[in-house]
Amino acid sequence: MREPKFAAWVGLDWADKRHWVCLCPQGSDQMESYPLRQRPEAIRDWLGGLRKRFEGRPVAVVVEQSRGALLYALMECPLVTIIPVNPKSFANYRKALRVSGAKDDCSDAELLLRFGREHRRRLPEWRPETPGVRALRLLAEQRRKLVHQRTAVSNRLRQLLKEYFPQVLAWFPELSSRMLREFLTRWPTLEKARRAHRRSLEKFFRRHRRSAAKTQTTVAEIKRAVALTHDEAVLAVHPKLAGISLRQLQLLQEAIGQLEEEIRTWFQRQSDAFVFASFPGAGEALAPRLLAAFGTDRDRFDAVRMQCYSGIAPVTESSGDSCWVHHRWICPKFLKQTFYEFAECSLPQSAWAHAFYRYKRQGGFSHEKAVRALAFKWNRVLTRCWQDRTTYSEETYQQALRRRHSPVIAFLDTQTE
């Protein structure tokens, strides 16, 4: 593809309230530096000024990010070509030119401009995905954040109960259950639960569909339970905090359910949904994440580039007689986690995946290392099916392994005997 000739280069050092701009017209060595406020009106007027000044010709804008409010605003202007720079790469570039460590927003904008212009061939422009793919990606990431929040609140609730009402953890193993929430709302302490009439307790458990035998056992345990503490301060504060945590869990659970419904809706609208839904172990959670990882631009990734970009491909460092192979530290963590989780979920669903895992484990790999190696293999299969827009076939892939006389076949055959 022929490189566009830009009318100007812009280095844009972004911040929360004010950005710093360094602009250099094509064919000129004169650089203009000035601040730009993070306000929609200010950014609109600035882009309009660029359009008028350079008569609608393309302008390259080098920024140190790949998403956020600034990029969403720049996307609205067709004359802007966004060139994102990896923050670690730019930090090393700054250190190479400024050994003293001096740094300010104005000089960073100039360095971004120079870095982008000097290394244009190594810095691909940012091409936004379709709205559907971007919506899926945002929804999946936000769902994972809510799951992390739910885990944190659950851990906090568990610790509170351990400190004043530990028996509840044995009676209700699922902390986010409606039954636990209603039980603690009605009987927030062991003393109140013990004073409750046996018939009231039995009616409560029957309403929540607990079996008669288990109900009798639980009620008996409640009646003979011994309180961990009688400290008035603890019993005055902890039940209230536990109630707050339970309400938080309820809200988080509802929010996660809403996002999952949105993810299903957006996923079903995508033309490649059938490809990623066909993979064993993907399911409703991972299939949309895999689709969002690859997107729709089939010129952007091949298998090797996806393996490197996602962090699945290892890195080799060698110097003299020493050689060290390790996994990539600088990569999109959520993307890497997606491939790792899919590989792990495929183990009980795919015969060859489980055989490959056993093969690596017998070779001395730890569980984590074996799953990473499996994710590396799955990445190639995923990429091929995505590029060909075809569904995955376990039988076809096993036949391919046999044609190549893969050592995994021996482990695969032992599974089917």
Side-chain angles (χ1 to χ4, degrees):
M1 183 182 294
R2 188 177 178 183
E3 286 286 335
K5 188 172 182 179
F6 298 116
W9 282 83
V10 176
L12 192 52
D13 185 69
W14 67 278
D16 184 47
K17 295 181 179 179
R18 187 185 70 169
H19 316 301
W20 202 270
V21 178
C22 182
L23 183 146
C24 182
Q26 185 68 32
S28 172
D29 293 329
Q30 296 295 321
M31 295 191 181
E32 308 166 15
S33 297
Y34 50 87
L36 174 65
R37 296 183 66 185
Q38 175 52 38
R39 293 182 58 188
E41 299 83 2
I43 296 174
R44 180 198 59 195
D45 293 343
W46 176 66
L47 291 173
L50 292 180
R51 184 186 299 108
K52 182 177 180 180
R53 176 177 177 180
F54 298 107
E55 300 176 344
R57 290 179 293 162
V59 174
V61 179
V62 188
V63 292
E64 196 184 355
Q65 65 176 136
S66 58
R67 69 170 61 179
L70 176 61
L71 253 70
Y72 298 152
L74 295 177
M75 284 170 56
E76 300 295 319
C77 185
L79 71 89
V80 168
T81 298
I82 302 172
I83 302 177
V85 172
N86 185 286
K88 185 175 179 62
S89 299
F90 181 63
N92 290 333
Y93 180 76
R94 185 197 301 117
K95 290 177 182 178
L97 297 182
R98 297 205 174 126
V99 184
S100 65
K103 179 185 181 304
D104 62 71
D105 295 343
C106 180
S107 62
D108 274 2
E110 180 184 342
L111 286 176
L112 277 168
L113 187 154
R114 295 184 184 277
F115 186 63
R117 192 167 57 180
E118 293 169 6
H119 302 280
R120 174 68 183 99
R121 297 287 182 179
R122 292 179 173 270
L123 299 173
E125 67 183 62
W126 183 68
R127 291 180 290 182
E129 272 290 356
T130 62
V133 171
R134 285 188 281 120
L136 264 182
R137 186 174 299 149
L138 290 171
L139 286 166
E141 291 177 2
Q142 293 305 315
R143 177 194 172 276
R144 174 47 61 96
K145 290 179 180 179
L146 290 180
V147 169
H148 287 328
Q149 291 180 29
R150 183 180 64 184
T151 302
V153 174
S154 295
N155 291 338
R156 186 162 62 247
L157 175 60
R158 190 185 308 275
Q159 185 59 38
L160 285 168
L161 293 172
K162 283 181 180 180
E163 293 176 2
Y164 89 100
F165 199 172
Q167 293 90 342
V168 168
L169 298 174
W171 300 334
F172 307 96
E174 183 56 54
L175 292 181
S176 60
S177 68
R178 179 183 173 185
M179 182 163 53
L180 170 61
R181 185 170 64 251
E182 292 186 3
F183 182 89
L184 287 177
T185 300
R186 189 169 179 180
W187 301 293
T189 65
L190 176 62
E191 186 61 30
K192 291 184 178 181
R194 288 186 61 189
R195 288 204 306 264
H197 198 281
R198 180 180 290 270
R199 196 174 303 168
S200 298
L201 292 170
E202 292 173 352
K203 184 178 179 181
F204 171 84
F205 287 116
R206 279 200 306 271
R207 191 171 71 250
H208 288 279
R209 301 179 183 275
R210 179 165 283 194
S211 66
K214 196 170 183 181
T215 294
Q216 292 300 322
T217 301
T218 305
V219 170
E221 289 177 355
I222 290 174
K223 291 301 182 180
R224 65 171 178 264
V226 177
L228 175 69
T229 179
H230 294 90
D231 188 325
E232 293 184 10
V234 172
L235 295 178
V237 174
H238 279 42
K240 290 182 172 59
L241 296 178
I244 293 172
S245 295
L246 286 167
R247 289 194 294 274
Q248 288 178 319
L249 282 176
Q250 182 182 6
L251 290 173
L252 287 170
Q253 193 65 33
E254 292 173 357
I256 290 171
Q258 292 172 6
L259 289 188
E260 288 174 344
E261 184 60 35
E262 283 290 315
I263 288 172
R264 279 191 292 270
T265 301
W266 281 100
F267 179 68
Q268 291 166 2
R269 295 175 183 172
Q270 307 309 309
S271 60
D272 289 334
F274 73 98
V275 176
F276 296 97
S278 68
F279 284 93
E284 291 188 353
L286 287 170
R289 287 170 59 179
L290 290 171
L291 189 152
F294 283 92
T296 57
D297 186 356
R298 285 171 168 78
D299 295 328
R300 183 185 180 194
F301 289 121
D302 56 19
V304 174
R305 278 189 287 177
M306 175 56 87
Q307 287 167 338
C308 294
Y309 174 70
S310 64
I312 296 299
V315 175
T316 301
E317 294 186 30
S318 61
S319 178
D321 296 331
S322 64
C323 182
W324 182 33
V325 180
H326 60 82
H327 62 88
R328 292 175 185 259
W329 296 317
I330 305 300
C331 62
K333 299 297 189 295
F334 185 73
L335 179 60
K336 183 178 181 180
Q337 185 183 41
T338 296
F339 287 115
Y340 183 91
E341 289 180 1
F342 165 66
E344 195 165 32
C345 290
S346 72
L347 290 175
Q349 303 292 329
S350 170
W352 86 262
H354 190 259
F356 179 86
Y357 173 80
R358 289 173 54 214
Y359 166 64
K360 289 296 183 182
R361 290 287 282 160
Q362 188 171 1
F365 280 34
S366 65
H367 170 75
E368 291 77 13
K369 193 173 180 181
V371 173
R372 282 199 299 270
L374 176 60
F376 184 89
K377 289 291 185 182
W378 266 125
N379 207 297
R380 289 182 175 276
V381 181
L382 286 159
T383 304
R384 182 60 182 271
C385 290
W386 170 65
Q387 289 178 334
D388 295 345
R389 297 197 79 243
T390 184
T391 56
Y392 170 77
S393 170
E394 179 83 5
E395 182 181 355
T396 300
Y397 190 67
Q398 289 187 26
Q399 291 174 357
L401 291 175
R402 293 184 187 278
R403 286 196 301 270
R404 295 198 300 268
H405 304 288
S406 170
V408 177
I409 293 299
F411 291 83
L412 186 61
D413 290 339
T414 59
Q415 288 178 186
T416 57
E417 290 177 357

